[in-house]
Amino acid sequence: MRKIWRCLLGGMVVTGGLLLIPILGYASEENGNEVSYDQVATEEEQVKPQEVGVEGMTPIYATDVADGVYEVEVESSSSMFRVEHAELTVQDGEMAAVLTMGGTGYLRLYMGTKEEAAMGEISDYIEFEEDDEGKHTYTIPVEALDLPIDCAAFSKNRERWYDRQILFQAESLPSEAVLVELPDYEALRREAKERRIEALRAEKEETEDKTSDTKEESAPATAKGPAFIEMEDGEYAIEVELSGGSGRSTVNSPAGLIVKDGLAWARITWSSSNYDYMIVGNEKYLNLQEEGYSMFEIPILAFNEPVTVIADTTAMSTPHEVEYALTFYGDRVMSKDETPQAAAQKVVYMVLVIIVVCALVSYWNKKKRNGRR
């Protein structure tokens, strides 16, 4: 009887094991298809993306464009992913583009999101090629013009996939290349800007109404986005003052002032190359320069009062976040051409011109003297 029970028990164990094998195999296969999140940039590691395109655009597909090769302008959702030059090829109802990048910080691209890239096959990745100048180029398919396209980029230094969006501008092609009627882009941009400004004004008025009774004159700025400024879009300069930290670091003043859709942004250049990111209004902004002094494009949260910012420095044995305060003086805005740097550049040019003129005069005088002999 015991032998019978042992046989039955052994059979149950073997049967259970055989049944468990495919289950474990399936679980292993499922786990193998999961996203490798250690190669996906977190929200904290990724700079807040900028919108590409404008509301009212309609996609322009390959069948809407004449076959040929064209230079095309490309918008990017991140200043860290700058397309320096792009060449679009249209042939047999398909489009592809060769992108020449402004930097060499990415190893490969994937046409999709960062999560999809982490799950992708090696054959799906688009590796860079070097051109004659050593710049990175990528050849990618183009679904349509005037359409935001997801494009994940793998960082060489951080070994992470980052979400990017690019948009190929149909209006940058020759007029005869596009076979359909394009919208009035200036009107679309004007309408979008007006909507944005109206929304900002309404938000500002609502905020002022809520805080007018409690706001102290010395209270630091608490806004999370760039301040509204009554100026035409463009690039200017603004005086800025830095305080806090050890007192050894400084920022260039005047700083660059960029007005986008009525909003104020600053281009801050530090006296050191050791800053790798800044935190302004709870948003992280990364260094824009791979070489030279650290430079950041950050929102101006308020004018004429200290705004607390954090800058991470790698000058010490380990990175340290240091708290500073920036004060942007709204009554000291000037044209780019009026800055001391621009004035110094003009002086250099004038000196060079004077040297060239003097050399020419000396040459002609010497030639005349030789002719008299």
Side-chain angles (χ1 to χ4, degrees):
M1 189 70 178
R2 289 181 179 177
K3 290 183 178 180
I4 295 174
W5 280 109
R6 286 176 183 172
C7 290
L8 290 173
L9 183 60
M12 291 173 64
V13 170
V14 172
T15 303
L18 292 174
L19 291 173
L20 190 60
I21 289 173
I23 294 174
L24 292 174
Y26 176 76
S28 176
E29 183 180 350
E30 286 295 302
N31 290 334
N33 288 333
E34 288 182 359
V35 176
S36 177
Y37 282 104
D38 59 338
Q39 288 194 335
V40 176
T42 64
E43 294 301 321
E44 292 75 18
E45 293 175 314
Q46 182 147 331
V47 177
K48 185 178 180 180
Q50 301 175 2
E51 291 185 4
V52 295
V54 63
E55 185 180 345
M57 280 184 168
T58 56
I60 305 297
Y61 296 96
T63 53
D64 302 324
V65 183
D67 285 1
V69 179
Y70 311 98
E71 289 189 7
V72 61
E73 294 183 10
V74 183
E75 278 189 72
S76 171
S77 63
S78 172
S79 58
M80 303 295 291
F81 189 78
R82 184 170 60 87
V83 180
E84 193 173 85
H85 178 264
E87 186 178 80
L88 179 74
T89 299
V90 185
Q91 186 174 5
D92 300 330
E94 294 184 352
M95 291 190 293
V98 177
L99 307 182
T100 302
M101 308 305 296
T104 58
Y106 298 104
L107 294 180
R108 59 188 62 91
L109 304 182
Y110 177 86
M111 304 313 294
T113 65
K114 58 186 180 183
E115 290 82 9
E116 292 170 340
M119 293 177 61
E121 301 289 338
I122 294 179
S123 58
D124 296 329
Y125 299 148
I126 302 171
E127 305 290 339
F128 75 87
E129 295 182 5
E130 285 191 359
D131 64 9
D132 295 337
E133 299 178 359
K135 295 184 177 180
H136 285 194
T137 67
Y138 297 91
T139 302
I140 67 170
V142 179
E143 179 183 354
L145 312 179
D146 286 356
L147 176 72
I149 299 174
D150 290 330
C151 177
F154 189 78
S155 170
K156 175 172 60 178
N157 294 330
R158 299 181 182 271
E159 297 185 345
R160 298 283 191 278
W161 286 103
Y162 288 83
D163 271 338
R164 303 291 185 237
Q165 273 196 332
I166 53 177
L167 180 140
F168 294 86
Q169 297 179 340
E171 64 177 323
S172 65
L173 298 184
S175 56
E176 64 273 11
V178 182
L179 307 178
V180 295
E181 185 177 355
L182 295 177
D184 186 339
Y185 292 99
E186 289 302 320
L188 293 179
R189 294 189 183 98
R190 186 168 55 251
E191 292 168 3
K193 180 178 178 180
E194 290 172 355
R195 286 193 298 270
R196 187 171 181 82
I197 290 176
E198 286 301 320
L200 289 168
R201 284 174 177 164
E203 182 181 353
K204 183 179 179 183
E205 291 174 0
E206 183 179 355
T207 303
E208 289 175 348
D209 290 341
K210 290 180 179 179
T211 61
S212 58
D213 297 332
T214 58
K215 183 178 179 181
E216 298 179 359
E217 291 184 3
S218 59
T222 57
K224 296 295 180 66
F228 176 72
I229 185 171
E230 289 281 357
M231 295 184 69
E232 291 290 329
D233 285 5
E235 294 194 15
Y236 308 87
I238 184 171
E239 288 196 19
V240 59
E241 183 179 343
L242 175 74
S243 58
S246 64
R248 291 193 294 268
S249 294
T250 60
V251 296
N252 287 355
S253 182
L257 170 64
I258 303 100
V259 181
K260 303 176 185 176
D261 295 333
L263 302 180
W265 295 76
R267 188 174 290 123
I268 295 292
T269 303
W270 290 81
S271 59
S272 166
S273 60
N274 295 318
Y275 293 98
D276 58 352
Y277 67 79
M278 292 181 67
I279 298 176
V280 184
N282 296 328
E283 293 286 345
K284 182 182 287 187
Y285 299 87
L286 302 182
N287 180 19
L288 298 177
Q289 299 202 130
E290 296 181 358
E291 298 179 358
Y293 295 133
S294 299
M295 183 174 69
F296 302 86
E297 191 170 302
I298 62 173
I300 298 178
L301 304 186
F303 293 101
N304 304 318
E305 60 181 83
V307 174
T308 300
V309 301
I310 293 173
D312 186 75
T313 177
T314 58
M316 308 176 192
S317 56
T318 58
H320 279 73
E321 291 186 348
V322 183
E323 186 173 292
Y324 298 92
L326 290 172
T327 303
F328 296 93
Y329 294 99
D331 55 346
R332 302 179 194 174
V333 176
M334 63 199 77
S335 165
K336 289 193 303 181
D337 298 332
E338 297 174 351
T339 63
Q341 296 93 327
Q345 194 174 42
K346 289 180 180 179
V347 170
V348 171
Y349 288 151
M350 290 178 63
V351 170
L352 290 175
V353 170
I354 291 172
I355 291 174
V356 171
V357 170
C358 290
L360 289 173
V361 170
S362 175
Y363 170 77
W364 284 111
N365 287 338
K366 185 177 179 179
K367 189 175 182 180
K368 286 182 179 179
R369 288 195 299 269
N370 291 336
R372 290 171 184 172
R373 291 177 187 175

